[in-house]
Amino acid sequence: MKIVAICGAGIGSSGILKVNAERVLKKLDIEADVTAVHLDSLEMARDAQVILTSAEFVDAIGKTFADVIVIENFFDTNELATKLEASLG
């Protein structure tokens, strides 16, 4: 499974989201490859099953077959766990 964390400029906030998503996925016993990218690298998200991002970037992501999950607080692992578990079941 491929999960992509997307931010707007560099890889700062998407890097934080990536690390926290990996921690949550490990606790949920879900194997996935999590990648951090910025909006200019959306091509890397083409084959992702899940995209993690903030609300401000949803429109920029555009049409996708991936489940786009909006994360309000990139540091809140409980929010991440709840939303990833709901998406990945």
Side-chain angles (χ1 to χ4, degrees), residues 1-4 18 21-35 48-50 52 84 88:
M1 170 177 315
K2 182 174 180 180
I3 298 175
V4 176
K18 174 190 183 299
E22 288 172 336
R23 289 178 184 157
V24 166
L25 290 165
K26 185 175 181 177
K27 286 181 184 176
L28 295 174
D29 199 29
I30 298 172
E31 261 189 60
D33 177 29
V34 184
T35 305
Q49 286 78 33
V50 175
L52 303 172
L84 282 168
L88 303 174

Side-chain angles (χ1 to χ4, degrees), residues 58-87:
V58 171
D59 289 340
I61 293 167
K63 193 172 188 173
T64 179
F65 291 109
D67 187 6
V68 178
I69 300 175
V70 174
I71 304 297
E72 302 296 326
N73 181 346
F74 287 10
F75 293 98
D76 185 352
T77 55
N78 289 325
E79 176 189 3
L80 267 168
T82 300
K83 290 181 176 179
L84 282 168
E85 197 167 31
S87 174

Side-chain angles (χ1 to χ4, degrees), residues 6-42:
I6 296 177
C7 69
I11 59 166
S13 56
S14 63
I16 292 166
L17 188 53
K18 174 190 183 299
V19 169
N20 285 335
E22 288 172 336
R23 289 178 184 157
V24 166
L25 290 165
K26 185 175 181 177
K27 286 181 184 176
L28 295 174
D29 199 29
I30 298 172
E31 261 189 60
D33 177 29
V34 184
T35 305
V37 301
H38 54 84
L39 281 176
D40 293 338
S41 302
L42 278 178

